[in-house]
Amino acid sequence: MRALLDVILIVLQLYIWLLIASAILSWLVAFNVVNTRNQFVAMVGDFLWRITEPVLRPIRNIMPNLGGIDISPVIVILIIIFIQSVITRYIYPNVF
């Protein structure tokens, strides 16, 4: 059972990194640092969008308009950190 919890913690940590990569890539595209006509950039951007958008969309729908500032990745990262903390402090010690 601890092995399953370890896998869940690793997946949550990996998802945090994917959220950060998605935010950074969106900034790079917005400031014309990278070009989405490049096939590799387009593939990476599409992958990151498909992975992160289903989680970010409901939060964006709930959040009020902040004038072009998207804080939904920060909110998701805080939720993931909270889940990791609950698993580490309360569930993991009680599993044999």
Side-chain angles (χ1 to χ4, degrees):
M1 187 67 178
R2 285 190 179 208
L4 179 64
L5 290 175
D6 287 335
V7 170
I8 291 171
L9 290 172
I10 290 171
V11 167
L12 289 173
Q13 190 65 36
L14 180 65
Y15 199 77
I16 288 175
W17 286 108
L18 288 173
L19 285 166
I20 293 170
S22 176
I24 290 173
L25 184 66
S26 71
W27 294 339
L28 292 176
V29 169
F31 293 123
N32 290 325
V33 176
V34 294
N35 191 354
T36 55
R37 285 181 254 161
N38 183 342
Q39 184 179 5
F40 178 73
V41 174
M43 286 182 358
V44 170
D46 185 54
F47 169 74
L48 290 173
W49 186 81
R50 288 176 187 250
I51 292 294
T52 58
E53 189 62 23
V55 175
L56 295 175
R57 188 179 310 122
I59 293 175
R60 286 184 185 140
N61 290 337
I62 295 171
M63 292 293 300
N65 187 5
L66 297 176
I69 298 173
D70 184 20
I71 61 167
S72 59
V74 175
I75 293 171
V76 172
I77 288 173
L78 290 174
I79 291 170
I80 290 174
I81 291 172
F82 175 74
I83 293 170
Q84 286 176 332
S85 177
V86 168
I87 290 173
T88 305
R89 292 183 183 173
Y90 297 111
I91 299 174
Y92 200 80
N94 296 325
V95 175
F96 298 109

